[in-house]
């Protein structure tokens, strides 16, 4: 059984890192951006492609419309951590997982209890004033009528989320790279690995065991020691039984 082998690898591994994509949260009801059922294939009545709707240009030029779209499509306040998030949090508690690097902006790893989470694309739960830097929670964005404005200075409050056309936070990326570099075991889940930065991060992995869990084929499957094409929640919860 592959899961038995997976368990043995994790038990023996001195350092394990999880690198995750949108597929980790689809089992919590949050749509993947790029899969057939994802946001990209969803019609929107604004008449723009979703990439533009989540771009810096759209945010800067049509902030009110940006927020209309963002509030309806990117914030899932009622989403709950699924078996994958919970299993990863449990592995960390048992000292079997050093870090989670995620592309997701939904905050579900923290909600599941994980402590060392590197959110390379930010989080919808953190927001800040683009003028004075004051921090705001997600209620500020959800509760605003139109564009959320800063209570202190009246500046526009923006999500701490990396939009298209914007660069990644280099400090966070460096931390992610150093965890991947230092890992003996890397578990990659819920990503087809054809988008940067995750695909790029994988290039830094020099450890012993690469495990891929994804419903579709990835470009790295032939390099992996184990490949699971099953539900990520099922596979990861098999590790903590
Ligand atoms: Zn302000």
């Amino acid at each position: 059984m592959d899961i038995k082998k997976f368990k043995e690898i994790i038990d023996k591994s001195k350092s394990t890192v999880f690198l995750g994509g949108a597929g980790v949260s689809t089992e919590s009801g949050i749509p993947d951006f790029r899969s057939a059922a994802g946001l990209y294939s969803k019609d929107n009545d604004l008449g723009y492609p979703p990439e533009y709707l989540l771009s810096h240009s759209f945010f800067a030029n049509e902030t009110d419309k940006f927020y209309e779209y963002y509030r309806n499509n990117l914030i899932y306040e009622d989403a709950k951590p699924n078996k994958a998030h919970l299993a990863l949090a449990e592995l960390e508690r048992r000292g079997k997982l050093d870090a989670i690097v995620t592309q997701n902006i939904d905050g579900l790893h923290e909600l599941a209890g994980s402590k060392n989470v590197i959110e390379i694309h930010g989080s919808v739960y953190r927001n800040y004033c683009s003028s004075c830097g004051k921090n705001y929670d997600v209620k500020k964005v959800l509760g605003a009528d139109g564009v959320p404005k800063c209570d202190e200075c009246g500046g526009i409050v923006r999500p701490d989320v990396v939009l298209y056309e914007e660069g990644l936070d280099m400090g966070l990326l460096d931390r992610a790279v150093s965890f991947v570099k230092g890992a003996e075991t890397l578990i990659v889940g819920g990503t087809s690995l054809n988008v940067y930065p995750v695909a790029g991060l994988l290039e830094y992995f020099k450890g012993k065991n690469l495990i891929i869990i994804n419903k579709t084929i990835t470009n790295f499957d032939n390099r992996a020691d184990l490949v699971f094409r099953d539900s990520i929640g099922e596979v990861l919860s098999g590790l903590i039984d």
Side-chain angles (χ1 to χ4, degrees):
M1 269 290 277
D2 274 357
I3 190 71
K4 202 176 155 217
K5 208 174 157 197
F6 191 8
K7 251 179 150 163
E8 282 169 15
I9 289 173
I10 300 303
D11 281 343
K12 283 187 197 148
S13 176
K14 289 185 187 68
S15 53
T16 302
V17 169
F18 178 82
L19 178 59
V24 176
S25 291
T26 47
E27 290 169 27
S28 291
I30 297 178
D32 175 346
F33 271 31
R34 290 174 179 81
S35 77
L39 261 188
Y40 273 39
S41 39
K42 194 177 154 185
D43 288 335
N44 65 74
D45 51 16
L46 289 159
Y48 294 129
E51 247 154 7
Y52 183 68
L53 296 168
L54 294 172
S55 69
H56 181 82
S57 306
F58 189 52
F59 174 78
N61 299 333
E62 299 182 73
T63 316
D64 51 340
K65 285 188 187 154
F66 168 88
Y67 268 113
E68 189 187 320
Y69 182 77
Y70 176 87
R71 266 193 286 265
N72 291 329
N73 293 284
L74 272 296
I75 304 176
Y76 293 85
E77 252 205 321
D78 300 328
K80 302 267 187 307
N82 63 48
K83 284 181 177 177
H85 299 105
L86 297 171
L88 290 166
E90 178 59 24
L91 283 174
E92 186 188 51
R93 267 192 294 274
R94 294 181 187 179
K96 300 311 295 176
L97 184 70
D98 298 321
I100 292 171
V101 179
T102 182
Q103 292 178 281
N104 299 343
I105 56 173
D106 52 44
L108 290 179
H109 286 296
E110 281 89 345
L111 209 57
S114 288
K115 302 286 180 243
N116 194 20
V117 184
I118 303 169
E119 295 170 308
I120 45 178
H121 287 161
S123 168
V124 297
Y125 289 97
R126 292 189 300 270
N127 300 274
Y128 62 92
C129 170
S130 51
S131 300
C132 76
K134 185 177 158 67
N135 293 318
Y136 289 95
D137 63 16
V138 72
K139 287 189 188 76
K140 180 73 181 172
V141 171
L142 287 170
D145 187 17
V147 178
K149 298 276 176 63
C150 179
D151 303 332
E152 300 291 327
C153 77
I156 293 171
V157 172
R158 66 155 288 169
D160 187 2
V161 164
V162 180
L163 301 174
Y164 286 97
E165 303 161 0
E166 292 179 339
L168 294 171
D169 177 324
M170 282 313 181
L172 279 184
L173 198 58
D174 283 350
R175 273 187 68 207
V177 165
S178 74
F179 274 110
V180 170
K181 263 185 178 168
E184 181 179 327
T185 303
L186 183 66
I187 310 169
V188 183
T191 165
S192 49
L193 282 166
N194 48 26
V195 280
Y196 281 80
V198 275
L201 275 172
L202 213 96
E203 300 292 350
Y204 290 97
F205 179 61
K206 300 286 180 271
K208 265 189 0 205
N209 316 298
L210 175 64
I211 293 123
I212 294 179
I213 313 164
N214 196 50
K215 290 206 172 140
T216 57
I217 293 172
T218 83
N219 294 332
F220 291 84
D221 285 4
N222 57 351
R223 292 202 220 168
D225 299 277
L226 284 178
V227 176
F228 294 91
R229 288 233 205 289
D230 306 307
S231 143
I232 190 164
E234 293 303 323
V235 175
L236 290 177
S237 54
L239 290 176
I240 57 162
D241 286 343

